[in-house]
Amino acid sequence: MTLDRRSFLQFAGAVPLWWGLRGGGALAPLGDDRTLLVLELAGGNDGLNTVIPVDDERYARLRPKLSVVRSGAHRLVDGTALHGALAKVHGLVTGGRATVLHGVGYPRPDRSHFRSRDIWHVADPAHVRVTAATTGWLGRAADTIARESAGVPAAAVGGLEVPLLLKSERTAVPSLRRVEDFQWLSATARGPVGSASPTRAVVAAGERAGGTGDDLRAFVAGTASRGVALADDLSAALARYRPKADYPGGQLGNDLRLAAQLVVSGFGTRLLHLSFGGFDTHARQLPTHAGLLAQLDAALAAFVADLDGHAAAERVVVLVHSEFGRRAAENASQGTDHGAAAPAFVLLGGARGGVLGPVPDLGTLDDGDPIATTDFRSVYRDLLTWLGIDAARVLGGEHVSAGLWGS
Amino acid sequence: MNDLLQPWEPSRGDRFDLAKAGHLLRRAGYGGSLSLRLDLVAAGVAAAVDRVAGPAPAAPLPPPERLQDVIAFGDIARVRAHRVWLALHGEPVLRTRMSHFWHGHFATSNQKLQDPRAMALQLATFDGAGLLRFDELLAAMCRDPALLRWLDNDGNKKGKPNENFARELFELFTLGRGHYSEADVREAARCFTGWHVRDGAFRFAANLHDDGEKELFGARGRFGGDDVIAAVVARRESAEFLADRWLRCFVHPEPERVEIDALAAVYERSQRSVYATLTTLLRSRLFFSPRARGAKVKSPADFVLGTVRALGAHAAPMELAAAMAALGEAWCEPPSVEGWHGERAWLSPASWLLRSNFVADLLAGRTGKLQPAPAALFARSKTPAEIANRAGVLLLDGALAKNDADHLAAVAAAHGADHAAAAVAVLHAAACLPDYQLA
């Protein structure tokens, strides 16, 4: 990709920092098109029925009904097995292209969906209250790589709300649903507002006036200007992409295809988030959970195949996580209640692959939940470092490596 | 009463004008046509608040018109369209506004329930009881089939409690985090064992109810669900929690401590009357203060329905409901038990584009025919400057900066003698002004 002088200086400035943090690892030199996709399983994915401790008899005792998922599960090397619906993900794990991290969480787990999600998004277990000034970890990362060139450094895919983890101080983060949404339509003619239309001057003047006004008006005016710029830039960039895999129907497949489109079209988007919901399985969870995992498996496999087809897979890494796992013991409704630590998945990006961390100890539960053995910020630290971003700055301090790219 | 909540009175330099009438209608309802705004100005602030709030309800109000027809269709898109129709045409406007406030508060989603009838009935319960005492509404909600199933209380039984309902009752409906313990959640879950649903109606299953002794907020007794409701609404934190939510909805997205305390006191003194609390707030100095005006980002409902109402138009409710959903506010399908996040989260560059495109499509007749046609509102506006000013009055209560008026006039001038096109283009451009995103 080409760099204008200003962004080259910013890019060059990041290099020594990055080498310092890397400690001279054996990776290829830093490229600034490395991309992270965070896929959030919203609602609290049942970790123990996703990466199942099949050889642990205590598991079956805790879950007399839900442990039927042991049959048909795909074995890993450490006495655990992936849920039967995750066949393709299992192939990626055993093929060294995906890593299962056991027991990811944080100390003193919170069992509220919102508070726990906010903790993951802000990357601070002590985080108390969201205000207009609260930023998310990917938003802060976006601030370190934002350039004044046309690209959008970070984007939320699939929704219209920008999630907390993408809230930043300085960087506009769009949310994207469909490529077709991104024309700025005229009210008096078919097609977009023309490049010479006086309506453009209304938006531009709004931004100039907003710059001296109060915070909220400036926010709205800036958002409007970026909306117009987004329409102009994005429709041109996205037109270049052709998918090289068959994505499954449904929202997740659509969202991942749009994510691939952003990656492949070279739009400069390096931080992506999308959410896949429905994991809050308090009752009769077996068919629901299996269905969700099957969708996840098919959509992730298509995403990997598409990136492979575009020779882009090694510059993309995917983190799959949930705000918490679920209680070790099943409830009386053939479901599970809000829990704590849970496995996370990291795909592609040349990460080590296989299984990482100790198998959850079902003999030592904390208030009914497995205890976290890897702090989620250690995972963030490795991902940010791989991206060439100053992890300590984004996370507000040093964290040990989770070992995703070796020790 | 704190000065903040004293009735606001007009003065020579600070009249109840078009901007204030528009503010009242945008917050208490979904905006209003120019003729309605002018009527309120003529009536004065006291009569205007009475008109948007309607008379004080003494008992649950009857269900809205056409409810049984909507239920008979059995289609969630019809339920949603019915709500849009009520928001456009229902009176008093505060009643429907509050129903949608409570919808975001109790945040039940048909995506899980797959039961349009239960959703329609829950919303009708808000229509009926949404302005009564909060404990009356809460008691109705704790027996609401949609909410009980949404939070899995159907599986909450003696010996095997399911905590979901009790936890959200405290965290999201009444107290907020930090004002109850995990033990309170567990004990409250026991109190609601057996509060189930059968054949689409509430049923107390005595044989599945745990009638043993519980300890709740430090008190001991053989408590049931109604004891939890009585205990929770009596807590000061509950008054503050609700006051905070109402201030966020009606006044400002970041309420201050003194405002919360003042409104919580009004609520407690009124025996927890939602109507009395909100009419005090809507009439208050705080409500008409510069701090409140233009301080909120329009929700998709505010934006979509407010545009149609500002133009005094009729449009197809189904289409409008679909447009709101595309903008992130699909009624009957809140994104989570937390409801919609609102404020700045509504607005991203992408959603700004979609909002602009909604207005363009609406004005161009691409979302169905708009009646009356927008150009008919400009019959007496001839020159580009007159067209620009008229659009400013219609959409922005006449509060148009000179600079913006000049730019809008340039938009009109670009259409030459094509008066209808000029009117449409100027309305679209006015809706692209920053102020039009603010409520």
Side-chain angles (χ1 to χ4, degrees):
Chain A
M1 75 178 289
T2 58
L3 296 169
D4 61 29
R5 184 168 177 278
R6 184 189 170 90
S7 53
F8 175 76
L9 291 175
Q10 291 181 345
F11 166 56
V15 170
L17 196 53
W18 180 78
W19 282 113
L21 281 169
R22 284 296 310 156
L27 288 173
L30 171 65
D32 85 344
D33 59 355
R34 289 185 174 189
T35 301
L36 165 64
L37 168 66
V38 176
L39 199 174
E40 186 172 356
L41 308 178
N45 177 40
D46 185 3
L48 287 174
N49 266 27
T50 302
V51 183
I52 307 159
V54 284
D55 289 348
D56 190 336
E57 280 311 310
R58 291 168 298 194
Y59 166 73
R61 283 201 296 276
L62 286 161
R63 297 185 161 198
K65 295 211 170 71
L66 300 184
S67 58
V68 298
V69 295
R70 282 182 300 180
S71 101
H74 307 285
R75 276 200 166 266
L76 299 168
V77 292
D78 62 353
T80 62
L82 295 190
H83 188 286
L86 292 173
K88 297 190 180 82
V89 169
H90 180 255
L92 292 168
V93 174
T94 55
R97 302 189 77 196
T99 311
V100 175
L101 284 116
H102 288 301
V104 183
Y106 53 88
R108 303 208 302 126
D110 198 294
R111 290 174 180 82
S112 151
H113 289 296
F114 316 107
R115 173 140 165 114
S116 194
R117 182 199 56 203
D118 289 352
I119 285 168
W120 276 82
H121 281 200
V122 176
D124 180 4
H127 169 69
V128 178
R129 183 158 184 255
V130 178
T131 69
T134 307
T135 57
W137 75 284
L138 280 193
R140 296 192 293 273
D143 278 340
T144 72
I145 60 173
R147 297 186 302 267
E148 294 196 357
S149 54
V152 175
V157 177
L160 278 149
E161 290 190 9
V162 175
L164 182 60
L165 92 165
L166 281 164
K167 287 284 158 52
S168 75
E169 242 171 70
R170 297 186 295 280
T171 312
V173 177
S175 47
L176 311 172
R177 279 186 333 134
R178 292 188 301 265
V179 173
E180 303 82 61
D181 291 336
F182 299 102
Q183 281 197 328
W184 184 31
L185 297 175
S186 163
T188 49
R190 289 225 166 266
V193 171
S195 57
S197 165
T199 302
R200 286 179 177 270
V202 173
V203 173
E207 189 180 19
R208 277 196 301 278
T212 59
D214 63 72
D215 272 356
L216 183 59
R217 190 162 285 106
F219 162 77
V220 173
T223 304
S225 277
R226 288 172 204 281
V228 171
L230 180 71
D232 291 346
D233 296 344
L234 202 58
S235 52
L238 295 178
R240 294 194 283 270
Y241 160 86
R242 298 284 174 277
K244 296 199 175 178
D246 287 328
Y247 284 86
Q251 189 67 38
L252 182 64
N254 287 340
D255 290 350
L256 279 169
R257 183 172 51 221
L258 182 54
Q261 195 167 6
L262 285 164
V263 169
V264 168
S265 57
F267 195 61
T269 306
R270 300 186 52 209
L271 305 166
L272 295 162
H273 172 266
L274 67 87
S275 176
F276 177 44
F279 287 87
D280 196 13
T281 50
H282 285 280
R284 293 175 290 282
Q285 81 166 44
L286 285 171
T288 310
H289 193 233
L292 292 167
L293 293 182
Q295 288 182 61
L296 180 68
D297 191 65
L300 280 174
F303 182 71
V304 170
D306 194 9
L307 293 183
D308 281 341
H310 287 97
E314 294 317 300
R315 63 180 175 88
V316 176
V317 72
V318 183
L319 168 66
V320 182
H321 78 85
S322 193
E323 71 265 34
F324 44 54
R326 307 191 75 81
R327 288 267 159 89
E330 67 189 30
N331 65 22
S333 319
Q334 295 160 58
T336 44
D337 295 324
H338 302 178
F345 292 81
V346 171
L347 291 79
L348 306 178
R352 66 196 292 276
V355 191
L356 202 55
V359 175
D361 176 6
L362 297 180
T364 314
L365 298 176
D366 171 24
D367 199 11
D369 290 314
I371 294 166
T373 46
T374 296
D375 191 291
F376 71 109
R377 290 165 296 176
S378 292
V379 179
Y380 288 177
R381 179 244 182 236
D382 287 4
L383 296 167
L384 289 164
T385 304
W386 179 81
L387 287 164
I389 292 171
D390 182 348
R393 190 167 143 202
V394 169
L395 302 176
E398 299 286 346
H399 292 276
V400 296
S401 168
L404 276 165
W405 277 269
S407 53
Chain B
M1 191 189 303
N2 189 298
D3 276 0
L4 289 168
L5 298 179
Q6 290 292 337
W8 173 80
E9 297 297 347
S11 60
R12 273 182 74 85
D14 189 19
R15 296 183 185 285
F16 186 63
D17 56 8
L18 200 61
K20 288 199 180 64
H23 172 64
L24 176 63
L25 282 164
R26 273 189 295 281
R27 296 286 173 87
Y30 294 96
S33 66
L34 182 56
S35 63
L36 175 58
R37 281 175 275 158
L38 290 169
D39 282 353
L40 294 194
V41 169
V45 62
V49 172
D50 285 347
R51 173 137 177 213
V52 301
L61 297 166
E65 279 180 74
R66 304 188 192 181
L67 179 67
Q68 291 308 324
D69 300 346
V70 168
I71 288 173
F73 264 108
D75 173 8
I76 197 66
R78 292 273 174 180
V79 176
R80 204 176 281 133
H82 182 232
R83 300 311 307 183
V84 165
W85 182 79
L86 287 170
L88 288 175
H89 305 296
E91 293 276 351
V93 295
L94 181 64
R95 179 188 181 193
T96 310
R97 178 53 137 188
M98 276 313 284
S99 295
H100 297 144
F101 170 88
W102 292 124
H103 178 35
H105 191 84
F106 291 98
T108 306
S109 172
N110 189 59
Q111 281 197 322
K112 173 173 175 175
L113 294 187
Q114 298 296 316
D115 187 348
R117 176 179 176 274
M119 287 303 303
L121 289 173
Q122 185 188 80
L123 287 155
T125 298
F126 296 142
D127 292 329
L131 289 167
L132 300 179
R133 289 161 46 116
F134 179 69
D135 18 342
E136 295 175 284
L137 175 65
L138 190 60
M141 290 319 293
C142 289
R143 292 168 172 80
D144 178 67
L147 190 71
L148 290 169
R149 285 188 39 224
W150 166 240
L151 295 175
D152 304 305
N153 210 63
D154 231 14
N156 186 14
K157 46 197 166 192
K158 182 177 179 174
K160 301 201 168 168
N162 186 315
E163 295 170 7
N164 204 24
F165 183 83
R167 180 182 303 282
E168 306 307 20
L169 174 69
F170 290 162
E171 180 182 341
L172 299 172
F173 305 156
T174 58
L175 294 174
R177 274 197 88 264
H179 301 302
Y180 54 87
S181 68
E182 286 293 315
D184 290 328
V185 170
R186 280 195 290 272
E187 294 290 276
R190 290 177 60 210
C191 296
F192 282 105
T193 47
W195 288 49
H196 289 179
V197 178
R198 181 179 282 183
D199 300 330
F202 172 70
R203 176 171 177 272
F204 178 67
N207 57 327
L208 299 176
H209 179 68
D210 177 350
D211 67 353
E213 188 177 74
K214 294 110 181 168
E215 179 171 342
L216 195 66
F217 302 120
R220 291 189 154 276
R222 292 174 62 178
F223 299 135
D226 283 316
D227 299 311
V228 179
I229 294 169
V232 79
V233 298
R235 296 182 79 73
R236 173 72 187 182
E237 294 95 331
S238 161
E240 291 172 10
F241 180 81
L242 291 168
D244 178 69
R245 293 295 175 99
W246 289 329
L247 287 163
R248 284 169 196 271
C249 176
F250 290 101
V251 176
H252 189 279
E254 292 183 12
E256 289 179 0
R257 187 74 242 168
V258 58
E259 297 164 350
I260 293 168
D261 287 343
L263 194 64
V266 169
Y267 165 76
E268 287 187 323
R269 261 203 312 278
S270 72
Q271 271 75 51
R272 308 181 192 114
S273 161
V274 178
Y275 177 89
T277 308
L278 293 185
T279 48
T280 300
L281 182 63
L282 292 173
R283 180 66 209 280
S284 69
R285 294 177 188 172
L286 176 64
F287 180 76
F288 288 107
S289 71
R291 172 168 160 75
R293 291 168 55 194
K296 288 174 60 69
V297 174
K298 280 179 180 167
S299 70
D302 292 330
F303 189 88
V304 167
L305 305 179
T307 301
V308 174
R309 278 181 60 99
L311 297 174
H314 286 262
M318 285 277 206
E319 298 278 355
L320 300 179
M324 280 169 47
L327 288 168
E329 190 176 3
W331 283 343
C332 302
E333 291 180 7
S336 74
V337 283
E338 204 182 15
W340 290 274
H341 296 122
E343 300 307 331
R344 292 187 191 210
W346 287 128
L347 210 55
S348 65
S351 63
W352 182 89
L353 260 186
L354 296 181
R355 286 180 178 211
S356 171
N357 289 351
F358 162 75
V359 176
D361 286 341
L362 182 78
L363 294 168
R366 293 187 290 250
T367 30
K369 204 172 165 77
L370 198 62
Q371 300 242 325
L377 300 166
F378 289 78
R380 281 177 293 179
S381 309
K382 306 293 183 205
T383 67
E386 287 167 1
I387 292 173
N389 285 328
R390 178 73 176 167
V393 169
L394 286 166
L395 295 186
L396 294 158
D397 301 325
L400 204 56
K402 170 79 172 69
N403 188 37
D404 290 338
D406 291 346
H407 280 105
L408 294 182
V411 172
H415 288 275
D418 188 345
H419 183 258
V424 163
V426 170
L427 283 172
H428 180 227
C432 291
L433 286 168
D435 284 342
Y436 196 63
Q437 301 297 337
L438 304 180

